[in-house]
Amino acid sequence: MVIADQSVPPDIVDRLLWRDAQQMLGRHAEADHEGNCVWCGWRWPCAPRRLAERAETASRRPWREAWTLRHDLNSIRAMPGFGDNMDRGARYHNRGDLHY
């Protein structure tokens, strides 16, 4: 029996890539009052936001494009400061200073 996931749009080819993109889009959602990403502190739109937008688009395309973007998405997760277990509050020691 196949159970359809109603939360994923019907035109999505790569569901995993789409979900990963949604998670990253949710985190890197907007700029603060200084024009920096509220999640990572990089200049808005930050590189992770742009990559997530590309991944969301690729999740609707043939698997070869999705595969390339999935690799890019996983690579950025390996960068210091982008792990899921990172304490957001520990990033800022002084306003504007990033600490990973």
Side-chain angles (χ1 to χ4, degrees), residues 22-52:
Q22 296 309 304
Q23 183 179 30
M24 190 172 275
L25 288 169
R27 289 180 176 166
H28 302 270
E30 61 187 338
D32 63 14
H33 65 281
E34 295 175 355
N36 297 320
C37 177
V38 295
W39 180 262
C40 67
W42 289 7
R43 193 77 188 143
W44 181 260
C46 60
R49 172 70 188 203
R50 292 190 311 266
L51 179 61

Side-chain angles (χ1 to χ4, degrees), residues 41-79:
W42 289 7
R43 193 77 188 143
W44 181 260
C46 60
R49 172 70 188 203
R50 292 190 311 266
L51 179 61
E53 289 169 350
R54 287 179 45 217
E56 182 179 36
T57 300
S59 70
R60 292 174 164 82
R61 295 187 178 157
W63 70 269
R64 288 182 182 148
E65 292 180 51
W67 183 261
T68 300
L69 261 295
R70 181 181 294 154
H71 174 73
D72 293 346
L73 204 59
N74 287 333
S75 295
I76 201 166
R77 284 189 179 139
M79 292 175 59

